[in-house]
Amino acid sequence: MKRLAGLLLLLLLISCYSLKPTVLSQPKENSGHKYVQFNVLVIVLLDVTHDGRRTTLLDRNLSRIFIELERARLFYWRNSHLRFNINFTYMITLSHLSFNGWFLSPGNVRRVVSKTLSKLGCSWDSFDGIVALWAAPGYKEEVDPIGSVYGPGGTLRYYSSYQLDGAITWLFVHEFHHQVDEDFYLSGYEEYPHADYPAQLKGKFGEHFDFNAYMLRSWNETLWLKLKAPSIGKPRILTANDEDGDNFPDYDPALPMDEVRFGSYINRSDSDHDGLNDKDEFMAGIFFPSNPLLSDSDSDGIPDGKDSYPLYPVNTIVPRDNWSTIIKDFITHPRNAQLNYELKAKWNDSGIAFKFLIKPGNLGNIYLYLDLDDDGWFHGVGNLEIILNPAVDNPLIKVHLLDCREAEKNPSKPCLWDDDPKHGGRIITESDIITRANLVRRGKKIYKEVVVFIPKNDEIAFHPSEGKNIGLRVEFLSSKTGTACSVFEKWSLIYLNLSQKTLARNVSSTIMVNRPDYIEKAVVVNRYIGKISKDYTVEVVYEVENVSNRTLNSVRIMDKNGKPLISLDELPPLAKVKICKQIKMGINNYTLIPGDLTVKYNYNQKTYSLKIKVPDIILDTQTEIKDPFAEIMSSTIRLLVIIAITATAIAAVAYIIRIKTRR
């Protein structure tokens, strides 16, 4: 019994020792924000003969290339829920390349760059993707307006190329998306959408950039971490500090955006307490964010967290039989556009009407896009484009419908406008749309009033009714500058709701929060090539930005070896300065400008130091690259000639010896 009691006591003690104490409200450890990174080599070919015409971009401003590619990088970061970072390495080469046809093949480019890459200890296959941009005669130095779409491009596995007289941001976004599609396929996710088949992807989205943004946004966010980087055959997952756990990195200048640069607080997920967290403020638009420090970014009386469109002061309720203002005097892009207009709408059982009030002489054409069947631009048949000229009494220039019914069934068939001869017949014509334009007085001011009425239509099943939604996009062409002005983000639709009456709004007061001050993370640096002169002097541009509210003193930028590059006596609050430095390259030379920088600055008698990573830049001024195959052939021929000469000489000597022997 004593042994049994002792054994029971021992078991009781062991069990009590193994019990774990209860911990209440144990916080979860913040593991940071995880994302995948692709290392992409961007090859800029400055001396190209295409179809017999030679173009060189020596002495030309190259800044546009870097600015627009950084826009593309930011586009991917924003619309992938901050899960996909593209890390650029730039190679700028003056090696002459000649080709014919619209597509520059990877073999041609590989021949030009491989030798220099090898000397630098890397290769074509060291990267997860290659993008080759080549000099073309139509290259312009001015940066394109955001959302510009034009120019051809092509993509093979891991490789894209296009000419530099196209829309650089767009061509990268679209063509590189084919690489992403292929990479997801090889990662085991063949269901990732194809960037050439918008009709095959269900969803309410617009054209071009908006479609590409929808592809990125609608993809399961966690699956980005499954995307294999081609150069290593597995996902390259990196982690950024994220103090408040809102999946928005705190500070990392190597990323396209972080909270310090964005101006939000790193220690609270919703800086302005408006119900929309900081990451969602950053993702409010496909190009533009809402304001993380202002509870009502568009000043329409609705807090961002409750506003379907926090970027636009838009009223989406269209009442029956009564004109209601949809939007007034607001332009998303360009930001500095000053256009006086007002857009109103109303509906009844017979159709929907829109009214524009415009200051005379202020505008050129008006472009009105409507998704009448509430299913996105590339679906169904209710996709209507109306072009109006407000300067004339009969303002209607053109109306047609984009019919995507066959494209939805068969990806090999495109969407067709109903005025395309291939379509087989019109669905809506100019005679179906009622328009008028006349002068009206509003107080002491005279306006041009343009009214357009779209009637119900059985063929496209457009029957206005309460609760129905209609997609809307509006652009104006400025008569003064010729600039296209987008009311909403370029290519994006907003959706109006047909109602029996105007609904009252609960207007909230706006709360503005002070911008946080992170003096220990106050500087951001960007670097790119401005131009290469004909004497092979390279202009390197440094953009140094102070993202704090304080004036910084004695700002110094050094390379990874401590060599001074830039020095500023003072950098004002929230200021950005541009400094140009020159490198004497000379002809037939190459160099790597590493992206590892150290930044030091003073504030309040204290010195701060930051490690900053910017893209590596490879400069190559070798003007002629010999064809390796030709070199091999040349060497082989020389060897054969030597062998032949030697053999002939030996035969001649042997012949002479034989003759002498006979004698």
Side-chain angles (χ1 to χ4, degrees):
M1 286 293 293
K2 288 182 179 179
R3 287 183 178 179
L4 180 61
L7 181 60
L8 290 173
L9 179 61
L10 179 62
L11 290 172
L12 179 62
L13 289 171
I14 292 172
S15 64
C16 289
Y17 182 78
S18 65
L19 289 175
K20 294 182 179 180
T22 301
V23 179
L24 299 178
S25 304
Q26 179 70 29
K28 293 183 178 180
E29 183 180 353
N30 182 5
S31 58
H33 176 73
K34 296 185 183 302
Y35 62 93
V36 292
Q37 178 168 294
F38 268 33
N39 297 328
V40 175
L41 177 64
V42 177
I43 302 165
V44 183
L45 298 136
L46 298 182
D47 188 3
V48 174
T49 298
H50 174 232
D51 289 340
R53 182 176 181 181
R54 188 166 184 171
T55 302
T56 177
L57 297 184
L58 283 174
D59 268 340
R60 299 292 301 276
N61 189 333
L62 305 176
S63 302
R64 173 193 169 210
I65 300 170
F66 299 87
I67 293 169
E68 294 201 23
L69 286 173
E70 187 60 28
R71 282 182 180 175
R73 183 170 170 257
L74 181 63
F75 182 89
Y76 271 99
W77 180 245
R78 169 179 277 119
N79 293 295
S80 67
H81 301 269
L82 290 70
R83 295 293 185 183
F84 184 48
N85 178 45
I86 301 171
N87 176 44
F88 286 141
T89 294
Y90 290 102
M91 183 173 186
I92 318 299
T93 179
L94 285 168
S95 299
H96 179 249
L97 184 148
S98 179
F99 76 104
N100 296 314
W102 70 274
F103 183 63
L104 175 56
S105 70
N108 273 335
V109 181
R110 186 190 286 256
R111 177 181 62 83
V112 167
V113 303
S114 290
K115 191 173 182 180
T116 300
L117 290 175
S118 178
K119 290 178 180 178
L120 293 169
C122 62
S123 71
W124 184 279
D125 298 320
S126 303
F127 299 92
D128 304 309
I130 308 288
V131 178
L133 315 180
W134 45 277
Y139 174 75
K140 58 186 178 64
E141 299 178 358
E142 299 79 17
V143 176
D144 271 332
I146 288 176
S148 297
V149 173
Y150 61 95
T155 297
L156 299 173
R157 183 180 175 188
Y158 307 149
Y159 172 84
S160 303
S161 81
Y162 55 91
Q163 58 207 58
L164 283 169
D165 57 2
I168 296 172
T169 301
W170 163 246
L171 289 170
F172 183 94
V173 166
H174 177 72
E175 294 301 335
F176 192 74
H177 219 150
H178 290 308
Q179 293 194 40
V180 173
D181 173 22
E182 178 73 8
D183 293 328
F184 265 121
Y185 179 83
L186 296 172
S187 301
Y189 298 95
E190 61 182 62
E191 67 271 25
Y192 190 83
H194 194 291
D196 283 341
Y197 303 126
Q200 301 296 306
L201 179 63
K202 295 298 181 184
K204 291 164 69 170
F205 50 82
E207 297 177 80
H208 304 305
F209 280 101
D210 200 54
F211 166 48
N212 279 265
Y214 185 84
M215 290 172 62
L216 296 167
R217 288 174 179 242
S218 62
W219 187 243
N220 187 321
E221 184 178 343
T222 61
L223 294 184
W224 283 105
L225 301 181
K226 305 291 185 180
L227 181 61
K228 294 178 181 178
S231 67
I232 58 175
K234 62 182 180 179
R236 184 184 291 105
I237 299 176
L238 304 178
T239 303
N241 291 333
D242 181 15
E243 183 178 335
D244 54 14
D246 61 356
N247 288 318
F248 200 161
D250 297 342
Y251 175 79
D252 187 346
L255 296 173
M257 185 57 65
D258 53 45
E259 289 213 71
V260 170
R261 280 177 284 169
F262 188 49
S264 54
Y265 283 77
I266 66 173
N267 59 353
R268 62 187 192 220
S269 60
D270 184 2
S271 294
D272 53 9
H273 308 290
D274 60 0
L276 192 66
N277 70 34
D278 295 336
K279 176 187 170 185
D280 290 334
E281 298 257 17
F282 176 63
M283 291 182 63
I286 66 171
F287 299 117
F288 301 106
S290 51
N291 190 334
L293 305 177
L294 194 64
S295 62
D296 180 11
S297 295
D298 57 12
S299 302
D300 63 355
I302 305 174
D304 290 347
K306 296 181 179 180
D307 195 339
S308 300
Y309 301 104
L311 293 183
Y312 323 122
V314 59
N315 165 38
T316 58
I317 303 300
V318 181
R320 183 185 180 97
D321 292 323
N322 288 309
W323 289 113
S324 179
T325 297
I326 302 300
I327 198 164
K328 181 179 180 181
D329 296 339
F330 182 84
I331 296 294
T332 296
H333 191 78
R335 293 289 196 179
N336 59 351
Q338 299 291 326
L339 298 180
N340 299 121
Y341 76 92
E342 184 175 3
L343 173 59
K344 297 186 174 187
K346 67 177 181 179
W347 71 278
N348 57 33
D349 293 340
S350 61
I352 186 168
F354 294 91
K355 181 198 294 185
F356 294 90
L357 288 173
I358 308 162
K359 188 176 180 181
N362 203 29
L363 296 175
N365 291 345
I366 302 170
Y367 297 83
L368 179 65
Y369 300 88
L370 300 170
D371 172 21
L372 297 175
D373 44 13
D374 187 27
D375 57 1
W377 187 254
F378 289 102
H379 301 111
V381 68
N383 311 300
L384 183 66
E385 180 186 45
I386 301 173
I387 305 176
L388 304 164
N389 178 5
V392 297
D393 294 338
N394 184 11
L396 184 61
I397 297 175
K398 186 173 186 177
V399 59
H400 55 176
L401 279 171
L402 186 67
D403 187 350
C404 295
R405 291 173 293 186
E406 292 300 317
E408 288 181 286
K409 300 174 187 176
N410 186 348
S412 66
K413 294 187 176 181
C415 296
L416 290 173
W417 292 102
D418 71 338
D419 57 354
D420 188 325
K422 298 178 183 177
H423 182 264
R426 297 299 302 271
I427 298 173
I428 284 184
T429 66
E430 283 73 12
S431 62
D432 295 319
I433 306 298
I434 301 171
T435 61
R436 63 174 173 81
N438 55 277
L439 294 173
V440 296
R441 183 180 293 276
R442 293 290 184 269
K444 295 182 179 180
K445 296 182 179 180
I446 301 294
Y447 290 89
K448 195 67 174 286
E449 181 181 84
V450 180
V451 177
V452 54
F453 176 74
I454 300 97
K456 65 180 182 180
N457 187 293
D458 293 333
E459 189 168 353
I460 63 173
F462 173 56
H463 301 104
S465 60
E466 183 179 11
K468 182 176 178 61
N469 295 320
I470 294 176
L472 170 70
R473 179 164 73 88
V474 181
E475 290 192 5
F476 298 113
L477 190 66
S478 172
S479 60
K480 295 180 179 179
T481 63
T483 304
C485 302
S486 299
V487 174
F488 312 114
E489 283 193 304
K490 187 82 170 177
W491 311 114
S492 298
L493 297 159
I494 64 105
Y495 280 83
L496 307 175
N497 180 259
L498 307 187
S499 175
Q500 287 291 342
K501 58 183 179 180
T502 303
L503 301 180
R505 287 190 178 192
N506 295 321
V507 178
S508 301
S509 58
T510 300
I511 299 172
M512 187 169 187
V513 179
N514 291 330
R515 183 185 176 98
D517 216 4
Y518 299 108
I519 194 64
E520 74 282 5
K521 305 178 182 71
V523 176
V524 175
V525 179
N526 187 23
R527 183 187 66 187
Y528 53 86
I529 302 302
K531 69 177 179 179
I532 302 178
S533 302
K534 291 180 180 178
D535 63 354
Y536 305 103
T537 298
V538 181
E539 180 186 79
V540 183
V541 180
Y542 290 84
E543 289 182 347
V544 186
E545 183 176 6
N546 179 2
V547 294
S548 77
N549 302 318
R550 313 290 178 177
T551 296
L552 308 179
N553 302 111
S554 187
V555 181
R556 294 96 68 201
I557 300 176
M558 294 149 284
D559 67 12
K560 66 177 183 178
N561 298 317
K563 178 183 177 181
L565 298 172
I566 299 294
S567 180
L568 297 169
D569 293 334
E570 184 178 276
L571 190 57
L574 304 178
K576 180 189 289 187
V577 298
K578 185 185 295 185
I579 302 117
C580 298
K581 304 290 286 186
Q582 291 188 337
I583 298 176
K584 298 286 187 179
M585 281 289 293
I587 194 171
N588 293 327
N589 197 3
Y590 71 91
T591 190
L592 169 67
I593 309 178
D596 299 301
L597 303 176
T598 298
V599 179
K600 292 186 178 182
Y601 54 94
N602 296 342
Y603 173 72
N604 200 19
Q605 298 182 335
K606 183 177 180 181
T607 299
Y608 296 87
S609 181
L610 293 171
K611 298 292 185 182
I612 288 180
K613 182 71 173 71
V614 298
D616 294 334
I617 300 176
I618 301 168
L619 296 172
D620 181 9
T621 60
Q622 299 175 88
T623 57
E624 297 293 339
I625 297 293
K626 294 180 180 178
D627 190 332
F629 179 74
E631 289 183 358
I632 292 171
M633 290 300 294
S634 179
S635 299
T636 303
I637 291 170
R638 285 197 300 270
L639 179 61
L640 290 173
V641 169
I642 292 170
I643 291 171
I645 292 172
T646 304
T648 301
I650 292 172
V653 171
Y655 178 74
I656 293 170
I657 292 172
R658 284 198 301 270
I659 291 174
K660 288 183 176 181
T661 302
R662 288 174 184 174
R663 290 177 179 175

